Amino acid sequence: MKVARKVLVGFIVVPCLVLTACGTGGATGANQAPQQAPDAKSWQQDIKGGSIEVGVLPAVGTPSLKFLEDIAAGIEKDHAGADLKPTFANTKARPALEQRWRAGDGLDVDYTMFDGTNPALLEWADSGALLDLKPYLDQVDTTTGKPWLDQFSPAVMQFMQHPETKKIYGVPSELSLQVLFYNAGLFKKHNITPPATWDELIQAADGLKAAGVDPIAVTGLFEPYMGMWSDNIWLRTVGYDKTNQVLTKGKGNITDDPGFLKGLQMLQDLRDRKGFLKGFEGTDFTAAQAQFFQGKAGMILMGSWLVSEMADVIPKDFELGVLQFPTVTGGTGDQASMLAGAQLMSVSAKSENIPLSLEWIRRVTSVETQTRRANEIGEVSGVKGVASPPGLPGISDIVAKADRLQARHYGLMESKAKDIVYPEIAKLLFGKQDAQQTLDNLDKGLRRVHGN
């Protein structure tokens, strides 16, 4: 089961496990002076031996960890005396690692320390704990002859960049995207057009029903997965910025923009057309996903981790299609954006070996490494020129065409409003209330939470 179920990050939850002893990395203690940052123009020439501690997300024994260990071994081979120590840095390990950061002994390279779309994580950058990467990213990479920054898709920049200072404190090692999966073989068999617009989605749903197939697989036992539908619809009918302001910040009311009600009415229409998997109300996410791959449902809105998560149950002859969430004709929101998440690596400003730390993230995010990682591990890349993973056909093209990747869930999972929004969406999908009643209940709940 993915971390996405609890903290909405596409990695496996395992008990807290540190692969190397704390305190052996390159970060300085709270009372030690940090190494002076190397000159941005020469940092690649300044790489030398020494020990650094790098955070890794995969657990012991996984192919993903073995892949990263091989990258570390390659750096150690190329730079005499270099010693890269991987430390488990995923969910269960975070409290202990953040305590180390507070004590001035953070990992040389770590995850979950910065995300330009998450205000709660800006404090690490604002406090001076993180190295501003922009001077180094702006320099020409000696291996490519181009500025390092140019290799990243522009669509991921808001994750990497501080929204106020425009400094960069994180680079993405992989992405997770919310996309509409469809059974391409089934669509071809019944001459159904893959939906690019909401009207085409409705037509596809009707075509699937006529063929005796439930249109859309969804779980009724995990509210944020039902909330994916309202999140993506509002992206199209309202727009990311306004939805984020209303839902999570209480700036304005949900009744102020007609796009909110329109989105709920679209969901109600889909519900009333019997667009969802029969019995979805009591079906958990694993069963719903399995029924999609068994051909009992034609589409599923899910994170890009779906394929790796369900690899053991996908038939060998299953033909998968991947689409951006459909656009909405007349919608005043973002028609070319996608809801996504990025796993970002940050460098400690107190690292005793900043050049080696930079080299680690440069290797991990190189086109060569990212291409191998897509092919061997199935990760989606934020680096330009990296092909789609074999099980996710066309997803790299979707990323390339997106004008912006927006933070999934609008920050709701870090807000008290999550206990208001997603339960009401579940009631709508369950048929317990209509669109107007849902809007009224959301309005009351959000006003209470935000004090409007």
Side-chain angles (χ1 to χ4, degrees):
M1 181 167 135
K2 298 283 183 179
V3 178
R5 313 300 177 191
K6 294 185 178 181
V7 297
L8 306 164
V9 177
F11 291 95
I12 300 172
V13 178
V14 298
C16 179
L17 176 62
V18 178
L19 302 181
T20 57
C22 293
T24 59
T28 62
N31 297 320
Q32 293 177 279
Q35 177 198 20
Q36 183 176 356
D39 180 78
K41 294 182 180 179
S42 63
W43 75 265
Q44 286 186 278
Q45 285 74 44
D46 292 338
I47 301 170
K48 57 181 183 297
S51 175
I52 64 170
E53 192 175 4
V54 297
V56 294
L57 297 175
V60 171
T62 62
S64 295
L65 179 60
K66 177 62 168 59
F67 185 95
L68 293 175
E69 289 173 337
D70 289 345
I71 299 300
I75 295 175
E76 291 171 346
K77 180 180 179 181
D78 292 342
H79 300 284
D83 181 22
L84 282 74
K85 301 179 181 297
T87 294
F88 182 70
N90 212 330
T91 312
K92 296 290 185 178
R94 294 314 309 168
L97 291 178
E98 289 178 10
Q99 186 59 36
R100 286 184 57 185
W101 276 91
R102 293 187 184 95
D105 184 35
L107 306 187
D108 294 272
V109 183
D110 201 0
Y111 282 90
T112 322
M113 300 304 298
F114 180 80
D115 181 337
T117 68
N118 185 349
L121 290 178
L122 300 183
E123 62 176 297
W124 295 106
D126 293 340
S127 70
L130 306 181
L131 181 70
D132 175 16
L133 301 173
K134 192 173 187 306
Y136 309 101
L137 291 168
D138 284 341
Q139 296 306 309
V140 172
D141 183 338
T142 57
T143 62
T144 66
K146 299 178 180 179
W148 184 5
L149 184 61
D150 285 359
Q151 76 180 39
F152 297 100
S153 169
V156 304
M157 184 56 64
Q158 75 274 17
F159 290 100
M160 301 167 60
Q161 190 176 63
H162 194 293
E164 297 175 1
T165 67
K166 305 307 178 184
K167 295 180 179 180
I168 295 175
Y169 293 101
V171 295
S173 59
E174 61 262 8
L175 305 175
S176 57
L177 309 168
Q178 291 185 6
V179 293
L180 184 67
F181 293 95
Y182 68 100
N183 185 329
L186 196 62
F187 272 55
K188 290 177 182 177
K189 179 180 178 180
H190 297 289
N191 197 30
I192 300 172
T193 301
T197 68
W198 185 262
D199 290 340
E200 290 175 352
L201 177 74
I202 296 300
Q203 293 170 9
D206 290 344
L208 289 164
K209 284 189 297 180
V213 178
D214 290 342
I216 298 167
V218 66
T219 175
L221 298 181
F222 189 63
E223 290 171 348
Y225 277 3
M226 288 180 278
M228 277 189 185
W229 281 92
S230 54
D231 286 350
N232 280 276
I233 288 173
W234 284 334
L235 180 66
R236 303 292 188 237
T237 63
V238 178
Y240 183 86
D241 290 339
K242 182 174 287 187
T243 302
N244 173 260
Q245 293 291 314
V246 170
L247 297 186
T248 66
K249 298 181 173 62
K251 296 183 179 179
N253 297 308
I254 200 168
T255 55
D256 294 341
D257 191 309
F260 284 107
L261 179 58
K262 178 180 179 180
L264 295 173
Q265 290 170 335
M266 291 163 61
L267 264 184
Q268 180 182 334
D269 178 56
L270 191 58
R271 178 201 73 187
D272 292 345
R273 289 172 176 269
K274 308 297 182 185
F276 297 112
L277 184 71
K278 293 184 183 69
F280 81 91
E281 297 89 343
T283 304
D284 71 20
F285 61 84
T286 302
Q289 293 168 180
Q291 290 190 60
F292 167 70
F293 286 112
Q294 291 165 3
K296 296 180 180 179
M299 296 176 282
I300 185 170
L301 178 62
M302 186 49 59
S304 53
W305 59 80
L306 174 68
V307 173
S308 60
E309 183 172 87
M310 301 298 290
D312 293 339
V313 303
I314 302 176
K316 291 184 179 180
D317 61 349
F318 190 91
E319 189 176 351
L320 185 68
V322 182
L323 298 168
Q324 190 183 76
F325 191 82
T327 60
V328 175
T329 303
T332 59
D334 308 313
Q335 304 303 317
S337 294
M338 299 179 66
L339 296 181
Q343 296 297 333
L344 299 161
M345 296 180 290
S346 299
V347 174
S348 171
K350 292 186 176 182
S351 172
E352 292 181 335
N353 199 332
I354 287 176
L356 191 58
S357 298
L358 292 170
E359 177 63 7
W360 167 253
I361 64 174
R362 190 195 67 80
R363 290 282 183 104
V364 171
T365 61
S366 69
V367 173
E368 178 185 4
T369 299
Q370 292 282 298
T371 299
R372 282 188 52 216
R373 205 172 188 195
N375 290 331
E376 298 175 24
I377 308 299
E379 300 288 4
V380 179
S381 179
V383 173
K384 293 184 290 188
V386 177
S388 302
L392 293 166
I395 198 166
S396 63
D397 295 331
I398 292 174
V399 174
K401 292 176 182 177
D403 64 356
R404 188 164 187 163
L405 300 184
Q406 305 282 13
R408 58 192 177 190
H409 308 291
Y410 300 96
L412 274 173
M413 302 312 293
E414 294 80 39
S415 166
K416 293 179 181 178
K418 73 177 184 298
D419 298 324
I420 301 297
V421 177
Y422 293 145
E424 295 299 332
I425 298 302
K427 292 176 186 177
L428 174 62
L429 266 60
F430 289 168
K432 295 182 178 180
Q433 58 194 24
D434 63 21
Q436 185 62 57
Q437 291 169 323
T438 303
L439 184 76
D440 293 342
N441 291 340
L442 287 170
D443 185 42
K444 292 176 184 176
L446 290 171
R447 287 176 186 269
R448 183 174 66 252
V449 167
H450 298 306
N452 290 4

